[in-house]
Amino acid sequence: MGGTFNPIHIGHLLLAENAYSVFGLDEVLFLPSGCSYMKEQSCILPAGIRLEMTRLAVADNPHFRVSPLETDRTGYSYTCETLAQLCREHPDTDYFFLVGADSLFAIETWKDPELIFRYAEILAAVRDDCDPVRLEAQAEHLRRIYGARIRLIPSGSMEISSSEIRKRLEDGRSVRYLVPAPVLRFIREKGLYRQERDAKSTPEKTTLSSCTGFTSRKLSELRRDMEKALERKRYEHTLGVSYTAAALAMRYGYDISRAEAAGLLHDCAKNLTHEKQQHICQKHHIPLTPAERKNPHLLHAKAGRCLAREKYGITDGELLDSIAWHTTGRPEMTLLDKIIYIADYIEPGRFQAPGLDEVRRLAFQDLDACLVRILEDTLNYLASSHIEIDPMTQQTYDYYSDKNGGI
């Protein structure tokens, strides 16, 4: 069972125990991630600390074990490489890879998914709110394309997330019964996840974490940077997205400055050549889907995530993710993901999409319903134009259409 475990919580342990019991496993091996290419590292505790928390969490369970395989590795960690190493070192062991069922819809975007399916059977934990028909269809797709071995595990509907636990700790709220007692003691002893506020520090930092807003000076700098980096029409579009994102943030109670900054940066790689965008993705070991390779206009989102961090000093993981997913969307989008995706579609400079007046009204009434409408219109346009559809766009539409009762 891999994961960031930032921090490990009761939900992780219950999921592992359920898999152990249902499938008669010999043990569950917990693999805290080292440096994941899928997640921004600035808000993730050092690997050694997460490894220790995981050890504390499983210490009283004789069939749980923790491995430092990924935390000891330099550079990015890839599931396919971890499984390959385990199989080389223990050729007499059958490995099962435990994931949340939603990962089945994203696993094709991971590095070398065919190797993951070769080295391990997938045990996918299914929550009560998952659509069983859509999930089984995706599992069957992976079996047909990759020869994947997949089994589904009912896991109830317990809603616990590491991000919510971190937020509670930052706000000084209780997380008792959400994390194991030894882990909670460790967190308190080390003062982890506390939001530091230094009254003497300058308010005008050039890089910002996910826990801080953006100053007016920083936003002005980003506007100047984008004006230099983008062609005039693209820059005007960028301003429109930024202002629209700020308005949506006001409507839905999100940090206005962070939404504005995300809007300014969402197309920061747009004016680079497709070759340069692909080079940036390769440099940062970002896997590209077949659709992205065939349709280079999609590359600027993932390249933009890297550029925003590397060139413009952004360390806000949620913001960087909103850049990466603003062209295709993804299942389980964050509020900022939705704001940027929708703002990119409805900003005042847009005029060609069908029914824009209605879509704009819907954006300020029901964000998820608006998201479904935009995705549906996008899929219809791509199909009618005979443009290959990125699987992530279809998966995002299916996810939110089901979630919203087939709107």
Side-chain angles (χ1 to χ4, degrees):
M1 182 176 182
T4 309
F5 302 133
N6 185 40
I8 190 167
H9 55 68
I10 295 297
H12 295 130
L13 303 179
L14 288 173
L15 182 56
E17 181 69 18
N18 190 38
Y20 171 83
S21 175
V22 170
F23 293 101
L25 307 179
D26 293 304
E27 68 177 12
V28 177
L29 184 66
F30 288 78
L31 288 150
S33 65
C35 182
S36 172
Y37 72 94
M38 289 185 171
K39 294 191 176 182
E40 172 56 39
Q41 299 301 303
S42 63
C43 296
I44 299 177
L45 290 181
I49 292 178
R50 292 183 287 106
L51 181 68
E52 181 60 25
M53 286 193 293
T54 307
R55 283 174 171 158
L56 289 170
V58 308
D60 64 346
N61 191 323
H63 51 259
F64 283 178
R65 187 161 63 88
V66 181
S67 169
L69 192 155
E70 290 201 354
T71 56
D72 287 350
R73 184 182 296 155
T74 58
Y76 287 116
S77 293
Y78 298 101
T79 298
C80 61
E81 294 177 357
T82 296
L83 291 172
Q85 183 175 342
L86 287 171
C87 289
R88 284 196 307 269
E89 295 176 354
H90 308 282
D92 58 341
T93 299
D94 293 326
Y95 282 99
F96 299 80
F97 183 45
L98 182 59
V99 300
D102 289 336
S103 293
L104 295 184
F105 296 96
I107 200 167
E108 288 180 280
T109 69
W110 298 8
K111 178 177 171 62
D112 298 333
E114 68 278 3
L115 296 182
I116 297 174
F117 298 127
R118 179 191 304 174
Y119 292 126
E121 182 170 348
I122 307 299
L123 304 182
V126 183
R127 297 195 311 265
D128 288 344
D129 58 351
C130 288
D131 179 346
V133 175
R134 188 170 68 93
L135 188 59
E136 184 53 46
Q138 178 64 10
E140 186 57 35
H141 162 75
L142 296 174
R143 294 183 187 112
R144 184 176 66 256
I145 300 299
Y146 300 97
R149 296 163 292 156
I150 300 171
R151 285 193 271 180
L152 307 179
I153 316 170
S155 62
S157 58
M158 179 175 289
E159 295 294 336
I160 304 176
S161 71
S162 294
S163 59
E164 174 61 23
I165 290 170
R166 292 195 301 272
K167 184 67 168 62
R168 283 175 169 268
L169 289 165
E170 289 172 2
D171 294 343
R173 291 183 287 156
S174 173
V175 295
R176 180 178 290 181
Y177 309 123
L178 296 179
V179 298
V183 175
L184 181 55
R185 285 195 296 270
F186 182 83
I187 289 172
R188 287 172 173 169
E189 289 169 3
K190 300 294 183 182
L192 305 178
Y193 303 113
R194 291 190 306 188
Q195 187 171 345
E196 301 294 340
R197 297 179 178 86
D198 185 353
K200 295 181 181 180
S201 63
T202 174
E204 293 160 345
K205 297 179 181 179
T206 57
T207 60
L208 299 114
S209 75
S210 65
C211 298
T212 59
F214 284 72
T215 64
S216 58
R217 176 177 172 179
K218 179 61 178 177
L219 291 170
S220 295
E221 289 175 358
L222 289 177
R223 289 189 200 97
R224 288 195 295 271
D225 289 338
M226 291 305 100
E227 188 172 17
K228 294 175 183 177
L230 302 174
E231 296 175 354
R232 185 64 192 174
K233 286 187 177 179
R234 180 61 50 184
Y235 176 62
E236 291 174 354
H237 163 72
T238 292
L239 290 181
V241 174
S242 179
Y243 297 146
T244 304
L248 288 170
M250 282 188 274
R251 164 64 179 84
Y252 292 103
Y254 190 80
D255 186 307
I256 298 171
S257 64
R258 288 175 75 196
E260 190 173 352
L264 286 170
L265 288 162
H266 82 288
D267 271 353
C268 64
K270 187 72 173 182
N271 278 87
L272 300 179
T273 64
H274 293 152
E275 290 75 15
K276 179 64 174 175
Q277 293 171 15
Q278 188 164 3
H279 173 73
I280 290 173
C281 292
Q282 291 171 342
K283 175 184 175 183
H284 292 274
H285 307 283
I286 305 299
L288 301 178
T289 65
E292 287 169 333
R293 295 184 184 279
K294 292 180 181 179
N295 300 287
H297 65 279
L298 295 172
L299 293 179
H300 74 280
K302 289 182 176 177
R305 186 192 198 281
C306 301
L307 197 66
R309 181 183 181 187
E310 193 172 69
K311 183 175 181 180
Y312 300 111
I314 304 301
T315 60
D316 183 328
E318 186 178 7
L319 190 156
L320 293 171
D321 283 346
S322 73
I323 297 172
W325 298 108
H326 84 267
T327 56
T328 63
R330 58 172 170 172
E332 294 192 328
M333 295 168 77
T334 66
L335 178 55
L336 183 59
D337 288 344
K338 297 174 187 177
I339 285 173
I340 298 306
Y341 185 92
I342 292 172
D344 185 36
Y345 193 89
I346 69 169
E347 62 93 0
R350 298 287 200 191
F351 60 89
Q352 292 182 326
L356 261 179
D357 288 343
E358 181 184 348
V359 175
R360 285 171 174 144
R361 283 194 298 271
L362 192 58
F364 289 88
Q365 296 169 356
D366 187 327
L367 207 60
D368 281 4
C370 181
L371 185 65
V372 172
R373 169 65 186 272
I374 292 173
L375 286 162
E376 183 176 25
D377 288 348
T378 299
L379 290 170
N380 288 337
Y381 168 76
L382 293 173
S384 64
S385 302
H386 305 290
I387 299 172
E388 182 173 355
I389 296 171
D390 190 294
M392 189 58 72
T393 302
Q394 184 68 57
Q395 291 166 17
T396 305
Y397 171 74
D398 291 342
Y399 179 87
Y400 282 100
S401 180
D402 291 344
K403 186 177 178 181
N404 287 275
I407 291 176

